[in-house]
Amino acid sequence: MPEHPVPKAGLEGVIASDTAICNVDEEKSELYYRGYSITDLARHSTFEETAFLLLEGKLPSAKELKEFHKTLSAARQLPAEVEEVLRWLPPATDPMDALKVAVGVLEATSREADSNSFADNRKKAIRLISRMPVIIAAQYHISRQKTVIKPRTDLSHAANFLYMLHGKEPDDFTSKALDTSLILYAEHELNASTFAARITASTLSDMHSAVITAIGTLKGPLHGGANEKAMEMLIEIGEPGKAEAWIQNAISRKHRIMGFGHRVYKKGDPRNPFIKKIAGKLGRRLGNTRWFEISEIVEKVIDREKGLHPNLDFYSSSAYYLLDIPISLYTPLFAAARVTGWTAHIMEQHADNRLIRPRGNYTGPKKRKYVPLKKRG
Ligand SMILES: CC(C)(COP(=O)(O)OP(=O)(O)OC[C@H]1O[C@@H](n2cnc3c(N)ncnc32)[C@H](O)[C@@H]1OP(=O)(O)O)[C@@H](O)C(=O)NCCC(=O)NCCS
């Protein structure tokens, strides 16, 4: 076998693909979607505008945005088969597993299931972005034997999700808080789930299959699952006065603190200031600053003891808690935002494809003599 350079564990620092979708500047702790800074997008854009940007490569005109919103909201109605299959799942099904199943049903009911053409992939991407929040809310109610709240077409993507979950229209501040969080979660270069989606797409498999791969990859606590674990930790800590001792104890036991650290950003996550501000504002607005106070102490102690910074998942967790989103839906909601980036990457992969098939650095035993079963003793 020829000599190959062996990358660091976890493919750290490896450039695995060209991409024109997202750029991470780890030195400056900056993040760009299609050349636009996350700072500008988080401050001035909406999720719909950002989704258009990621899929189309440019910001929409007012007319294009109106049209895009219309297409996106018109696609909210789920095929009847999806709801039916969700009703067959055991009530305790993990919502991420339910999402994988439902996306599989979307493929089975899609007229363009077999096509990887740009035009058909674009249709599928819009339907996936539109429907994943609808699936999440529907499965939540079905698993509790409650009535499913049908989506509305007159609401924004974020407002419609909160409406489907709570049965009442959110105020502007609340829906903007979720909208900004969806912008921050929408895309992040070759993170594990996006890379997994690109690998599946590189076999010329279809978009839905690649998205199912990505959902499974996002589920893990080292990736998207961290936002749920972070909230569970804050609840376990319980009050600001207990935070320092709790974290010291966890560090001394070598526990990983969920929502902290990042493979790429070692100086801080550029998305953190935005979600932190939202979490703080939500707390003050609702007269419940407990989670924010605990979070700030946790952040201070982990920085002091380990030099680690919060990633997007940390303050997202208490922001979602204050938005009255059930904890089991935090990672599915991350998926519902990231499907925008996944589908953009799948289209990019299909447009200029070569099978992704790396090599393994073999560390097992040298060639061994085969002993027939009867003689093995
Ligand atoms: C995201 C993550 C996997 C990236 O880590 P990485 O670059 O691969 O770094 P490693 O896992 O190799 O860890 C390097 C060191 O930092 C420590 N470390 C990293 N993140 C840590 C965390 N959240 N809590 C405690 N220690 C952490 C590791 O224990 C390790 O210490 P050691 O060298 O003494 O063993 C890691 O920071 C982590 O597990 N974070 C928690 C999960 C999370 O929030 N995931 C969402 C990511 S956006």
Side-chain angles (χ1 to χ4, degrees):
M1 181 175 133
E3 285 295 315
H4 294 289
V6 180
K8 280 195 200 170
L11 299 183
E12 182 180 347
V14 170
I15 305 288
S17 172
D18 284 346
T19 179
I21 300 168
C22 178
N23 181 28
V24 170
D25 183 336
E26 65 263 47
E27 279 309 308
K28 294 188 184 146
S29 283
E30 282 173 1
L31 169 63
Y32 300 88
Y33 294 173
R34 302 267 191 199
Y36 293 98
S37 157
I38 194 69
T39 304
D40 289 330
L41 293 169
R43 281 196 188 136
H44 309 299
S45 187
T46 60
F47 173 76
E48 283 85 341
E49 249 183 290
T50 306
F52 184 99
L53 169 70
L54 288 167
L55 295 181
E56 305 290 338
K58 67 172 189 99
L59 284 171
S61 66
K63 186 166 169 261
E64 285 168 329
L65 184 60
K66 205 170 158 200
E67 202 50 46
F68 186 68
H69 181 264
K70 217 167 123 192
T71 318
L72 206 56
S73 52
R76 281 179 190 152
Q77 202 60 44
L78 293 179
E81 293 88 339
V82 175
E83 228 181 274
E84 207 167 307
V85 169
L86 290 177
R87 289 186 192 283
W88 277 94
L89 295 177
T93 302
D94 185 302
M96 287 294 273
D97 295 330
L99 202 51
K100 282 183 278 179
V101 171
V103 171
V105 180
L106 283 185
E107 197 212 345
T109 54
S110 162
R111 256 187 254 133
E112 302 84 9
D114 291 335
S115 166
N116 290 338
S117 76
F118 182 81
D120 287 338
N121 267 350
R122 192 178 175 280
K123 279 189 214 158
K124 290 188 214 178
I126 291 176
R127 288 201 296 250
L128 279 161
I129 295 167
S130 169
R131 290 174 180 173
M132 279 189 28
V134 188
I135 293 168
I136 295 164
Q139 194 258 343
Y140 177 74
H141 293 304
I142 289 169
S143 68
R144 279 155 187 78
Q145 281 88 44
K146 294 268 162 55
T147 310
V148 170
I149 300 166
K150 298 289 174 205
R152 277 174 43 184
T153 52
D154 59 325
L155 297 176
S156 73
H157 196 70
N160 179 57
F161 175 73
L162 292 169
Y163 167 74
M164 291 184 300
L165 191 63
H166 298 136
K168 68 176 191 339
E169 209 177 305
D171 60 38
D172 288 350
F173 180 85
T174 307
S175 66
K176 187 58 205 155
L178 181 63
D179 181 87
T180 307
S181 125
L182 298 179
I183 293 173
L184 300 173
Y185 266 137
E187 161 60 8
H188 210 206
E189 198 220 34
L190 288 197
N191 60 92
S193 55
T194 304
F195 187 46
R198 285 192 80 128
I199 293 173
T200 301
S202 86
T203 69
L204 295 184
S205 187
D206 62 278
M207 179 174 278
H208 290 90
S209 298
V211 167
I212 293 169
T213 305
I215 297 170
T217 309
L218 187 75
K219 188 182 172 194
L222 295 190
H223 193 4
N227 55 11
E228 296 181 11
K229 299 281 173 219
M231 193 62 224
E232 286 163 12
M233 173 181 77
L234 295 179
I235 291 172
E236 212 179 306
I237 293 172
E239 53 187 86
K242 293 187 176 159
E244 166 120 25
W246 197 99
I247 294 295
Q248 292 282 14
N249 182 39
I251 291 173
S252 70
R253 290 161 177 257
K254 302 223 170 297
H255 288 175
R256 282 204 177 219
I257 315 295
M258 292 299 157
F260 282 83
H262 199 276
R263 171 60 64 76
V264 181
Y265 303 120
K266 297 301 179 193
K267 298 177 187 164
D269 185 329
R271 302 164 298 179
N272 180 58
F274 295 101
I275 197 67
K276 181 172 177 179
K277 201 167 164 192
I278 289 171
K281 268 191 184 174
L282 277 167
R284 287 192 297 280
R285 216 164 167 263
L286 295 165
N288 177 3
T289 54
R290 174 164 41 146
W291 308 113
F292 193 73
E293 286 170 40
I294 297 175
S295 300
E296 282 206 305
I297 298 169
V298 170
E299 181 180 353
K300 204 173 73 198
V301 178
I302 296 178
D303 184 19
R304 190 183 69 213
E305 301 295 324
K306 302 279 295 181
L308 290 168
H309 306 286
N311 56 53
L312 175 58
D313 290 318
F314 185 59
Y315 283 98
S316 296
S317 65
S318 56
Y320 284 0
Y321 198 78
L322 293 169
L323 289 173
D324 204 17
I325 297 171
I327 296 175
S328 64
L329 302 191
Y330 294 4
T331 313
L333 204 44
F334 182 165
R338 184 59 58 84
V339 72
T340 320
W342 292 336
T343 51
H345 277 270
I346 294 162
M347 286 194 276
E348 188 174 63
Q349 184 67 39
H350 279 161
D352 184 16
N353 189 58
R354 187 157 189 238
L355 176 73
I356 300 173
R357 200 293 190 195
R359 293 297 310 273
N361 180 42
Y362 181 68
T363 59
K366 292 240 167 358
K367 194 171 176 205
R368 296 197 277 187
K369 189 173 174 336
Y370 182 82
V371 181
L373 186 59
K374 272 194 249 163
K375 294 190 178 169
R376 262 178 247 160

